[in-house]
Amino acid sequence: MTVDLTVDLGGLKLRNPVMPASGCFGFGREYSEYYSLDTLGAVVVKATTLKPRLGNPTPRVTEVTGGMLNAIGLANPGLSKVLTEELPWLERQNVPIFVNVAGDTVEDYCSVVDEVCRSGLAQAIELNVSCPNVELGGLAFGVNSSVLRGLVEEVRKVCTLPLYVKLSPNVTRIQDLAVAAASGGADGLSLINTLVGMQIDLATRKPALANKTGGLSGPAIKPVAVRMVYEVAREVNLPIVGMGGICSGRDVAEFIMAGAWAVEVGTANFTDPYACPRIVAELKSFMEAEGIKNLEEIRGCAL
Amino acid sequence: MTVDLTVDLGGLKLRNPVMPASGCFGFGREYSEYYSLDTLGAVVVKATTLKPRLGNPTPRVTEVTGGMLNAIGLANPGLSKVLTEELPWLERQNVPIFVNVAGDTVEDYCSVVDEVCRSGLAQAIELNVSCPNVELGGLAFGVNSSVLRGLVEEVRKVCTLPLYVKLSPNVTRIQDLAVAAASGGADGLSLINTLVGMQIDLATRKPALANKTGGLSGPAIKPVAVRMVYEVAREVNLPIVGMGGICSGRDVAEFIMAGAWAVEVGTANFTDPYACPRIVAELKSFMEAEGIKNLEEIRGCAL
Amino acid sequence: MLVKESKQLTRDVFALTLEGQFDYDKVTAGRFVHVLIEDGKAHPLRRPISIASCDSHAKTLTLVYRVVGDGTLWLSKRIRGDTVSLLGPLGKGFVAPHKPGKVLIVGGGVGVPPLFQLAKELVQENFELDIVLGFRSQGDVFWTEEFAQFGRVTVCTEDGSLGEKGFVTAVIDVTNDWTTLYSCGPKAMLKALRNHFAGSTIQGYVSLEERMACGVGACWGCTCLDPSGSLAKRICKEGPVFSWEEVSL
Amino acid sequence: MLVKESKQLTRDVFALTLEGQFDYDKVTAGRFVHVLIEDGKAHPLRRPISIASCDSHAKTLTLVYRVVGDGTLWLSKRIRGDTVSLLGPLGKGFVAPHKPGKVLIVGGGVGVPPLFQLAKELVQENFELDIVLGFRSQGDVFWTEEFAQFGRVTVCTEDGSLGEKGFVTAVIDVTNDWTTLYSCGPKAMLKALRNHFAGSTIQGYVSLEERMACGVGACWGCTCLDPSGSLAKRICKEGPVFSWEEVSL
Ligand SMILES: Cc1cc2nc3c(=O)[nH]c(=O)nc-3n(C[C@H](O)[C@H](O)[C@H](O)COP(=O)(O)OP(=O)(O)OC[C@H]3O[C@@H](n4cnc5c(N)ncnc54)[C@H](O)[C@@H]3O)c2cc1C
Ligand SMILES: Cc1cc2nc3c(=O)[nH]c(=O)nc-3n(C[C@H](O)[C@H](O)[C@H](O)COP(=O)(O)OP(=O)(O)OC[C@H]3O[C@@H](n4cnc5c(N)ncnc54)[C@H](O)[C@@H]3O)c2cc1C
Ligand SMILES: Cc1cc2nc3c(=O)[nH]c(=O)nc-3n(C[C@H](O)[C@H](O)[C@H](O)COP(=O)(O)O)c2cc1C
Ligand SMILES: Cc1cc2nc3c(=O)[nH]c(=O)nc-3n(C[C@H](O)[C@H](O)[C@H](O)COP(=O)(O)O)c2cc1C
Ligand code: FES
Ligand code: FES
């Protein structure tokens, strides 16, 4: 049986539904030493901000059962270096590029999105709305429907590429935020970002991360992520990129059945640098074994 | 070195800070065949409702990486049997009893709390506010500050025992709900209840639980729980009973350092029926090794 | 307990014999053990597996299981000398026939193993047994010769590749004079059997399965309903063996 | 790779020798491997451990580590024939001295192991070595005799129970004519060493530690800052070895 792994994300065609998640794959250079990036559906690059950022003090990663906490703090070389040094290289790898964009203010987001779109170096924008909104006293953009809608509306005005809004799971009803993003003009939704967590270091009796809290990712969050994809898929009619704890082709199938069109793989890259191509191969075998010809056949079948 | 494990929860003295969590220990009979219940700080019994409940259809438990999902659906024999058959037996085990109370309406809660208090068979009430509020279309009592405050105020009127409100983690800012419970008259806070999650069964291509979603518990949620205890401890000056993924004495220490006064142990009982007494012993050794004389010495030290 | 021997019986069915300390006195056919997977960190829930055979003199316990997921896969990789943590024996097993007379035992797939210990116990009490064992296909068949020492064995396979072709009900003549029927297997088989004997006076027992957390009756994860649908029974505690009258299938 | 030998060196320090396929050609002193714990399910992050010694002819690799938590505890229980998954060699190791002349090597605790491979390489290139190894106490000392084959070894312990009493700086005379200093150990030691040599023309190198996720430069989890504090360097990629001029300690 031949299996069709391609995905059509509203016109943007992907070879397969598996892309490395933002922040877990840099700008692609490091893992390109392990395999050719054109085996991936797309690459979602590290959150890019207007100015370069050093991020939070270290320690900024730590392990927990079935997952990890990170408080990288959006460390990145800044828009200008990303456009001149990172994206041109990545473009030559023959793989669609999603640029994950972060900011402190609506204006920041708009500037970055505008320039990325004008550069012609990216195929889609992923808006990371889990960042604290400095104008609103540090509450994340992504936890309040009207704030989120406002942000998406403004970004939409300058965004000429498919616009994916990456939702925060640290909310009471994620479907409300999904609706807000959709009505603001999103072309698709990515979910989930990390859950806020903390670990205490018993030796120092203080939080293990210098930033105190960090984002929980990895298998530990998969059930929450699958539930959220399911809830959003029932209420919003936009392509969904699902993620959270994906480690295997079977995990991908769970997300697709819950309503995702494509997926991102984050933490699993750290456990296994070959995780992404392995997961593509596993998904293919799963589909062959189950007689599933293409992803649409099972997309949202659990709804 | 002698270590003092006792906890004074606003007048209610516990031998040690470890109690089995509601729903994970029935009414104590089953685990009393494994060890004597008077080794525990207290026992938190299964959610009790006014009328008997069969709960949700099966399957209603399933395993996920580092945790489990449950959708028991508040199955319980109902208030009257609890008062006549369960609590009298448990009272004879010489261990403080927390009765976990659930309901569909404010009235339900009040009736159960009232009768439990009058029975003289319990030492504290734990209000499970993760239940859907039928009067408000199924939104849980515990996800909206004013709804929660209203519930707690009403229950407070009839509650003559220490009143612990058990917070849901499925909210944007748990500290707001904690404040609401406190201003409604809670004597203490228990947290966290389970995170809403889902697993898809690849064989049936449907959710693994008949109820579709279920509550995620176990080590997977520990970082979220520790973070929430920490956040609540910084904003509310009430005793906190922390829980979520506790499996060892070191885990207890993490919660105490994050601000908990006592803890509950749920899922770990299933992995190891001797979990609770083992955890008490491990906590004691940890304190001995670290030269910690009593829990107050480390309570909230990570804040 | 320590692994004494692990034996592959079919493509996906394994027999694991454990030795060492265990509450052998409390074993009766139909009771089960709750098996810890690794150290329980990635797998916090134990796996319920019926006791297929128990020898309290040799101090050994045998579990027969099909590899269907992570837990049983892990179990299948244990080798002699490895340690496996068991909780049990748990639940309520098969009760002896209330009346003397011939007994019918019907097993399907990995429902067969607990019936081995049952047959052993019943023969010790001098009951005469007819044993019907159903499998999907020839390659799935195991332990039929072991059962032959206890009574007359009829094997059937769904595809007819061994023994009679079809489901177990196809080879069971309801007019036979069995007083008691013990069954364990897929729910569809248990249901079909009860329907097959509708109107008969035979006393029927079924062993049920449900996903379990605690295994001891504390979490109410594993309930089934009584025939009225108004009372819940915990399969791990009041079961897994129930009489036909006690549960709705 | 396959475990060839696991040897306990002190109360909590173990030497693990692995054999089999590995990118031996790319090993240089100071580079590290990223070790998978079990199957990575409960422990999704690998553990960075320096290469203590490498023999590309015998196809063996030795790691020396202290048991401090779950991961290293698991590692300490591996026995001959077990498999351990490694990623690497990763990072940038020690670079050879720019100038000829005597070399000073200073290690503290489990900072000592990578210096063994370094000493081996430097001696092959005919450098003369002075080696100072600091430990907490007599019971923590390991591999000092192994180092003696490469140069003059001075051992010190914080409590004076073996060798000189005190920190490594107490036994290092800055007026000596070393051209290059290589150090690995606790940050406090690295800092003290640099201060000790303040104003000297010696070329100093440090090997840094930080909590890591990817280990390959992709996650920016493990950064340190340059002396100006305005540029981040990834310890796993640009390091773990840095010259004094490159980083703020
Ligand atoms: C009382 C009882 C006795 C049993 N006796 C046997 C036996 O003798 N031989 C045998 O092969 N099988 C038996 N089973 C079924 C056996 O428990 C499952 O096949 C096993 O738990 C699957 O575990 P896994 O990790 O391989 O599968 P997974 O699918 O990875 O397990 C995931 C979760 O689902 C549960 N689960 C999956 N399938 C079942 C099932 N059929 N019944 C209950 N829980 C399930 C697991 O326990 C685990 O919690 C019995 C079940 C019960 C309830
Ligand atoms: C480049 C490099 C080389 C190293 N080489 C050695 C060596 O040769 N010998 C040796 O004994 N140790 C070495 N370490 C330290 C070693 O990585 C840790 O001791 C080890 O990861 C602890 O793992 P654990 O699971 O036992 O501890 P846990 O505390 O349970 O680990 C929890 C998490 O914290 C991380 N972590 C804990 N301590 C450290 C630490 N000191 N540095 C970095 N991460 C840490 C772990 O990797 C893991 O992700 C090195 C560290 C780095 C960065
Ligand atoms: C180290 C690390 C850095 C991350 N950085 C970003 C980021 O810059 N932008 C973003 O939107 N998400 C970021 N994330 C979140 C991931 O993209 C992803 O949403 C999350 O980790 C869940 O997926 P996983 O469980 O597969 O890791 C980061 C996650 C990790 C672990
Ligand atoms: C099977 C099961 C049943 C539960 N039933 C209840 C309940 O009736 N009332 C309640 O407040 N919490 C209930 N909980 C939640 C637990 O009390 C606890 O808050 C949660 O499981 C987190 O702790 P843990 O990770 O230690 O299990 C239940 C949890 C489980 C696993
Ligand atoms: S499994 Fe917990 S009651 Fe049966
Ligand atoms: S550990 Fe990921 S960049 Fe260094």
Side-chain angles (χ1 to χ4, degrees):
Chain A
M1 203 184 102
T2 49
V3 156
D4 177 8
L5 285 175
T6 61
V7 183
D8 185 339
L9 286 179
L12 174 57
K13 289 237 164 84
L14 309 184
R15 265 175 216 106
N16 64 61
V18 179
M19 21 192 182
S22 179
C24 302
F25 208 75
F27 293 89
R29 287 184 201 269
E30 294 77 19
Y31 288 105
S32 77
E33 290 172 28
Y34 290 85
Y35 57 87
S36 167
L37 301 188
D38 63 8
T39 54
L40 300 171
V43 167
V44 187
V45 302
K46 223 178 139 37
T48 298
T49 55
L50 198 52
K51 299 266 162 278
R53 293 220 200 185
L54 293 174
N56 290 320
T58 57
R60 54 196 201 184
V61 292
T62 189
E63 190 185 79
V64 294
T65 306
M68 63 174 285
L69 294 172
N70 90 80
I72 308 291
L74 301 176
N76 82 96
L79 176 64
S80 126
K81 275 210 175 158
V82 169
L83 290 180
T84 55
E85 295 176 15
E86 302 295 346
L87 298 187
W89 176 86
L90 186 53
E91 207 199 10
R92 292 196 293 278
Q93 309 312 308
N94 184 27
V95 62
I97 301 173
F98 279 58
V99 176
N100 184 278
V101 174
D104 295 326
T105 62
V106 175
E107 216 188 315
D108 275 10
Y109 276 101
C110 291
S111 309
V112 177
V113 171
D114 187 32
E115 287 209 45
V116 172
C117 289
R118 285 173 198 275
S119 76
L121 292 166
Q123 278 62 55
I125 298 290
E126 182 176 73
L127 223 54
N128 174 357
V129 298
S130 297
C131 320
N133 180 338
V134 295
E135 291 158 330
L136 288 177
L139 197 77
F141 286 94
V143 301
N144 176 294
S145 293
S146 61
V147 173
L148 179 61
R149 187 183 163 146
L151 171 67
V152 178
E153 278 171 350
E154 291 306 310
V155 169
R156 179 75 281 177
K157 289 180 191 159
V158 297
C159 185
T160 55
L161 288 170
L163 177 61
Y164 280 76
V165 174
K166 181 162 175 182
L167 301 176
S168 162
N170 302 293
V171 296
T172 305
R173 279 176 48 86
I174 196 165
Q175 52 275 58
D176 294 347
L177 282 304
V179 167
S183 58
D187 295 307
L189 302 167
S190 304
L191 58 155
I192 60 176
N193 213 314
T194 53
L195 286 162
V196 182
M198 180 184 279
Q199 184 184 45
I200 311 282
D201 181 337
L202 294 184
T204 61
R205 302 185 190 172
K206 294 288 167 198
L209 297 179
N211 187 54
K212 296 183 176 162
T213 61
L216 177 63
S217 62
I221 69 169
K222 200 184 80 177
V224 174
V226 171
R227 183 262 297 184
M228 288 186 165
V229 165
Y230 177 94
E231 280 176 345
V232 169
R234 284 202 304 182
E235 301 221 359
V236 179
N237 198 9
L238 287 179
I240 291 174
V241 179
M243 79 199 80
I246 293 176
C247 292
S248 70
R250 295 175 63 88
D251 290 342
V252 176
E254 261 194 80
F255 277 83
I256 305 276
M257 291 178 183
W261 296 44
V263 298
E264 294 179 30
V265 174
T267 305
N269 293 294
F270 308 153
T271 319
D272 173 11
Y274 299 99
C276 288
R278 172 178 53 76
I279 289 170
V280 172
E282 288 172 355
L283 178 65
K284 188 158 174 281
S285 329
F286 170 78
M287 290 171 67
E288 283 165 356
E290 298 280 316
I292 300 163
K293 288 194 213 64
N294 57 55
L295 294 167
E296 242 172 294
E297 208 179 309
I298 53 168
R299 187 193 303 147
C301 67
L303 291 179
Chain B
M1 204 183 101
T2 48
V3 157
D4 177 8
L5 286 175
T6 61
V7 184
D8 185 340
L9 286 178
L12 174 57
K13 289 240 163 86
L14 309 184
R15 264 176 216 106
N16 64 59
V18 179
M19 21 192 183
S22 178
C24 302
F25 208 74
F27 292 90
R29 287 184 200 269
E30 293 79 17
Y31 288 106
S32 76
E33 290 173 27
Y34 290 86
Y35 56 86
S36 166
L37 301 187
D38 64 9
T39 54
L40 300 171
V43 167
V44 187
V45 302
K46 227 181 135 37
T48 298
T49 55
L50 198 53
K51 300 265 161 279
R53 295 221 200 183
L54 293 174
N56 290 320
T58 57
R60 55 196 200 183
V61 291
T62 190
E63 189 185 81
V64 294
T65 305
M68 63 174 286
L69 294 172
N70 90 80
I72 307 291
L74 302 176
N76 82 97
L79 177 63
S80 128
K81 276 209 174 161
V82 169
L83 290 180
T84 55
E85 295 177 15
E86 302 296 348
L87 298 187
W89 176 86
L90 186 52
E91 207 199 10
R92 291 196 295 276
Q93 310 310 308
N94 184 27
V95 62
I97 302 173
F98 279 58
V99 177
N100 184 280
V101 174
D104 294 328
T105 63
V106 175
E107 216 189 314
D108 274 11
Y109 276 101
C110 290
S111 310
V112 178
V113 170
D114 187 32
E115 286 208 47
V116 172
C117 289
R118 285 174 198 278
S119 76
L121 292 166
Q123 279 62 54
I125 299 290
E126 182 176 74
L127 222 54
N128 175 357
V129 298
S130 297
C131 320
N133 181 336
V134 295
E135 292 160 327
L136 287 177
L139 197 76
F141 286 94
V143 301
N144 177 294
S145 293
S146 61
V147 172
L148 179 62
R149 187 184 164 145
L151 171 68
V152 177
E153 278 171 351
E154 289 308 309
V155 169
R156 180 74 280 176
K157 290 181 191 156
V158 296
C159 183
T160 55
L161 288 171
L163 177 61
Y164 280 76
V165 175
K166 182 163 175 184
L167 301 176
S168 162
N170 302 291
V171 296
T172 307
R173 279 176 48 87
I174 196 164
Q175 52 276 56
D176 294 347
L177 283 304
V179 167
S183 59
D187 295 309
L189 301 167
S190 305
L191 57 153
I192 59 176
N193 213 315
T194 53
L195 286 162
V196 182
M198 179 185 279
Q199 185 183 44
I200 310 284
D201 181 337
L202 294 185
T204 61
R205 302 185 189 173
K206 294 288 167 200
L209 298 179
N211 186 54
K212 294 183 177 162
T213 62
L216 177 63
S217 62
I221 68 170
K222 201 184 81 176
V224 173
V226 170
R227 183 260 300 181
M228 288 184 164
V229 166
Y230 177 93
E231 281 175 345
V232 169
R234 283 202 305 183
E235 301 221 358
V236 179
N237 200 9
L238 287 180
I240 292 174
V241 179
M243 78 198 79
I246 292 175
C247 293
S248 69
R250 294 175 64 87
D251 290 343
V252 176
E254 262 195 78
F255 276 84
I256 305 276
M257 290 179 185
W261 297 45
V263 298
E264 293 179 33
V265 174
T267 306
N269 293 293
F270 309 153
T271 319
D272 173 10
Y274 298 99
C276 288
R278 173 177 54 75
I279 289 170
V280 173
E282 287 171 355
L283 178 65
K284 187 157 175 280
S285 329
F286 171 78
M287 289 170 67
E288 283 165 356
E290 297 281 318
I292 300 164
K293 288 193 211 65
N294 57 56
L295 294 167
E296 241 174 294
E297 208 179 309
I298 53 167
R299 187 194 302 150
C301 68
L303 292 178
Chain C
M1 297 178 79
L2 280 183
V3 174
K4 188 175 180 211
E5 188 186 22
S6 177
K7 219 165 117 179
Q8 186 158 6
L9 304 183
T10 76
R11 186 174 42 87
D12 54 4
V13 175
F14 290 74
L16 181 73
T17 301
L18 300 161
E19 62 184 341
Q21 244 199 311
F22 189 73
D23 232 336
Y24 293 102
D25 294 349
K26 299 204 176 127
V27 172
T28 61
R31 302 194 76 185
F32 68 96
V33 291
H34 218 24
V35 184
L36 186 70
I37 305 305
E38 298 181 68
D39 57 2
K41 271 189 192 157
H43 298 286
L45 297 189
R46 290 169 176 258
R47 301 319 195 236
I49 306 280
S50 298
I51 296 169
S53 181
C54 167
D55 184 334
S56 56
H57 297 295
K59 290 196 180 303
T60 61
L61 205 65
T62 299
L63 311 178
V64 174
Y65 59 92
R66 169 173 295 141
V67 173
V68 296
D70 269 13
T72 45
L73 182 66
W74 176 84
L75 211 53
S76 71
K77 292 186 177 150
R78 296 313 94 202
I79 56 170
R80 193 184 165 90
D82 283 350
T83 301
V84 175
S85 157
L86 302 186
L87 197 62
L90 300 175
K92 201 175 90 350
F94 294 101
V95 291
H98 294 311
K99 300 183 239 174
K102 268 180 23 178
V103 169
L104 175 63
I105 288 182
V106 184
V110 282
V112 166
L115 301 173
F116 182 83
Q117 176 69 18
L118 175 69
K120 197 162 61 170
E121 291 177 9
L122 290 175
V123 163
Q124 270 164 14
E125 295 176 42
N126 297 314
F127 285 96
E128 188 186 330
L129 311 184
D130 283 330
I131 300 162
V132 178
L133 305 177
F135 299 93
R136 255 172 304 171
S137 182
Q138 181 170 22
D140 299 309
V141 175
F142 62 87
W143 272 20
T144 51
E145 280 163 37
E146 282 80 351
F147 271 93
Q149 60 185 302
F150 302 128
R152 196 171 58 99
V153 176
T154 311
V155 173
C156 46
T157 53
E158 290 176 31
D159 62 1
S161 52
L162 195 88
E164 309 291 316
K165 176 169 175 148
F167 295 106
V168 290
T169 41
V171 300
I172 296 173
D173 174 4
V174 293
T175 64
N176 212 310
D177 58 348
W178 300 299
T179 60
T180 316
L181 162 61
Y182 297 99
S183 57
C184 184
K187 204 157 196 173
M189 183 194 93
L190 304 180
K191 258 190 188 159
L193 266 175
R194 186 157 70 173
N195 291 339
H196 198 57
F197 281 97
S200 145
T201 59
I202 194 168
Q203 174 68 48
Y205 293 92
V206 292
S207 177
L208 298 184
E209 275 190 16
E210 190 48 81
R211 290 191 168 225
M212 293 182 175
C214 71
V216 300
C219 76
W220 290 77
C222 67
T223 54
C224 61
L225 295 178
D226 77 350
S228 78
S230 63
L231 195 70
K233 310 217 168 205
R234 292 163 296 181
I235 291 178
C236 70
K237 183 89 181 173
E238 281 92 43
V241 176
F242 294 98
S243 73
W244 281 347
E245 294 72 39
E246 286 176 291
V247 289
S248 77
L249 288 179
Chain D
M1 297 177 78
L2 281 182
V3 174
K4 189 175 177 212
E5 187 185 21
S6 177
K7 219 165 117 180
Q8 185 159 6
L9 304 183
T10 76
R11 184 174 42 89
D12 54 5
V13 176
F14 290 75
L16 181 74
T17 301
L18 300 161
E19 62 185 343
Q21 244 199 314
F22 188 75
D23 231 336
Y24 294 102
D25 293 349
K26 299 203 176 129
V27 172
T28 61
R31 301 194 78 185
F32 67 96
V33 292
H34 218 23
V35 183
L36 186 71
I37 306 305
E38 298 181 69
D39 58 2
K41 270 190 194 157
H43 298 285
L45 297 190
R46 290 169 175 258
R47 303 314 196 240
I49 307 280
S50 299
I51 295 169
S53 181
C54 168
D55 184 335
S56 56
H57 297 293
K59 290 196 181 303
T60 61
L61 206 64
T62 301
L63 311 178
V64 175
Y65 58 91
R66 168 173 297 143
V67 172
V68 296
D70 270 12
T72 45
L73 183 66
W74 176 84
L75 211 52
S76 70
K77 291 186 179 151
R78 295 312 95 202
I79 56 169
R80 192 184 168 91
D82 283 350
T83 300
V84 175
S85 156
L86 302 185
L87 196 63
L90 299 175
K92 201 175 93 344
F94 294 100
V95 291
H98 296 310
K99 300 182 239 173
K102 269 180 25 180
V103 169
L104 175 62
I105 288 181
V106 185
V110 282
V112 166
L115 301 172
F116 181 83
Q117 176 70 18
L118 176 69
K120 197 161 60 169
E121 291 177 9
L122 291 175
V123 162
Q124 269 163 14
E125 295 176 41
N126 297 312
F127 284 96
E128 188 186 329
L129 310 184
D130 283 328
I131 300 162
V132 179
L133 305 177
F135 299 93
R136 255 172 303 172
S137 183
Q138 184 171 20
D140 298 311
V141 176
F142 62 87
W143 271 19
T144 53
E145 280 162 37
E146 282 79 351
F147 271 93
Q149 61 185 302
F150 302 128
R152 195 172 59 98
V153 177
T154 310
V155 174
C156 46
T157 52
E158 290 175 30
D159 63 1
S161 51
L162 194 89
E164 310 290 316
K165 175 169 175 150
F167 295 106
V168 289
T169 42
V171 300
I172 296 171
D173 174 4
V174 293
T175 64
N176 213 312
D177 58 348
W178 299 299
T179 61
T180 317
L181 162 62
Y182 297 100
S183 57
C184 185
K187 206 159 196 172
M189 182 194 93
L190 304 180
K191 257 190 189 162
L193 267 176
R194 186 156 73 170
N195 292 340
H196 199 57
F197 281 97
S200 145
T201 59
I202 195 167
Q203 174 69 47
Y205 293 93
V206 291
S207 178
L208 298 184
E209 274 189 18
E210 189 49 79
R211 291 193 168 224
M212 293 181 175
C214 71
V216 300
C219 77
W220 288 76
C222 67
T223 54
C224 61
L225 295 177
D226 77 349
S228 77
S230 63
L231 194 72
K233 312 217 167 205
R234 292 163 295 181
I235 291 177
C236 70
K237 182 87 180 175
E238 281 92 42
V241 175
F242 295 97
S243 73
W244 281 348
E245 293 72 40
E246 287 176 289
V247 289
S248 76
L249 289 179

